[in-house]
């Protein structure tokens, strides 16, 4: 017999166990708790290992072990909010990710969308990024706020008119 199985991850929440039997058989033992799809195909989301025995018509038995790997670990990501300086130059937004080959899905103000691993923007607002592990299909999301530093300095100007024609006046600029 040959027992093959798939693994469980964020894309496949059930594993399939297929039993390839060349000779006529009477019974398959060790599949308790597995969901039977057909005579030789079973699925599971809870039983991760076991021993399957096939009893053949001639009375012989053959056994094989199956082990199902589970990989449902989502990427760990982190990001920091950013702000523009007084000169509104574009900012690069990055997320730190613990995997290589990650897939990115950015969205933000004014319908902005991108699949790049970083984003350059000059628009303040909330940006969302989802990072997906291409191997197991698991993903994590976070948001980054880009805010604008506003130079809210208020000034008052006091003008002193000259008393006589030809004299100079004065202007005082006061920060309030």
């Amino acid at each position: 017999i040959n027992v093959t199985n798939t693994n469980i991850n964020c894309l496949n929440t059930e594993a399939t166990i297929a039993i390839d039997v060349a000779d006529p058989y009477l019974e398959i033992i060790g599949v308790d708790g597995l969901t039977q799809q057909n005579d030789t195909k079973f699925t599971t989301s809870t039983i991760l290992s076991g021993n399957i025995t096939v009893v053949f018509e001639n009375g012989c038995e053959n056994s094989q072990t199956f082990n199902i790997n589970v990989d449902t670990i989502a990427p760990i990501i982190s990001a920091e909010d950013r702000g523009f300086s007084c000169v509104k130059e574009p900012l690069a937004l990055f997320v730190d990710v613990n995997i290589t080959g990650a897939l990115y899905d950015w969205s933000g103000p004014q319908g902005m969308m991108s699949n790049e691993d970083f984003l350059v923007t000059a628009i303040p607002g909330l940006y969302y990024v989802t990072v997906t592990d291409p191997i197991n299909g698991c993903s994590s999301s976070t948001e980054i706020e880009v805010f604008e530093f506003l130079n809210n300095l208020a000034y008052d100007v006091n003008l002193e008119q000259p008393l006589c024609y030809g004299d100079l006046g004065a202007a005082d600029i006061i920060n309030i």
Side-chain angles (χ1 to χ4, degrees):
I1 68 170
N2 185 26
V3 177
T4 58
N5 59 271
T6 58
N7 295 315
I8 294 176
N9 58 36
C10 292
L11 298 174
N12 300 313
T13 57
E14 266 188 350
T16 300
I17 301 163
I19 304 165
D20 184 17
V21 182
D23 298 324
Y25 66 94
L26 295 174
E27 179 180 16
I28 298 176
I29 302 169
V31 292
D32 294 338
L34 301 177
T35 303
Q36 189 165 4
Q37 301 298 312
N38 61 37
D39 288 345
T40 60
K41 188 175 183 181
F42 302 85
T43 58
T44 183
S45 60
T46 56
I47 298 172
L48 303 179
S49 65
N51 192 40
I52 293 179
T53 302
V54 175
V55 179
F56 296 96
E57 286 182 350
N58 64 7
C60 294
E61 295 181 3
N62 194 340
S63 297
Q64 188 169 345
T65 302
F66 69 90
N67 290 300
I68 296 171
N69 297 316
V70 178
D71 181 5
T72 55
I73 299 172
I76 299 170
I77 61 175
S78 64
E80 292 183 13
D81 294 342
R82 303 278 314 266
F84 292 110
S85 63
C86 293
V87 179
K88 191 174 178 180
E89 294 180 0
L91 291 173
L93 304 180
F94 296 94
V95 288
D96 292 323
V97 182
N98 68 331
I99 61 170
T100 56
L103 304 174
Y104 297 83
D105 185 18
W106 290 88
S107 63
Q110 300 178 3
M112 187 286 313
M113 298 177 79
S114 175
N115 296 108
E116 299 297 321
D117 58 349
F118 69 95
L119 183 69
V120 177
T121 184
I123 302 169
L126 254 147
Y127 291 82
Y128 303 91
V129 61
T130 299
V131 179
T132 303
D133 183 332
I135 295 171
N136 68 9
C138 299
S139 60
S140 296
S141 297
T142 192
E143 62 184 40
I144 301 172
E145 184 174 7
V146 173
F147 50 93
E148 190 168 4
F149 287 118
L150 297 177
N151 191 354
N152 290 329
L153 299 176
Y155 297 96
D156 192 13
V157 177
N158 291 330
L159 296 176
E160 293 180 22
Q161 298 293 328
L163 296 176
C164 297
Y165 180 77
D167 288 344
L168 296 176
D172 295 324
I173 300 174
I174 302 167
N175 184 4
I176 51 175

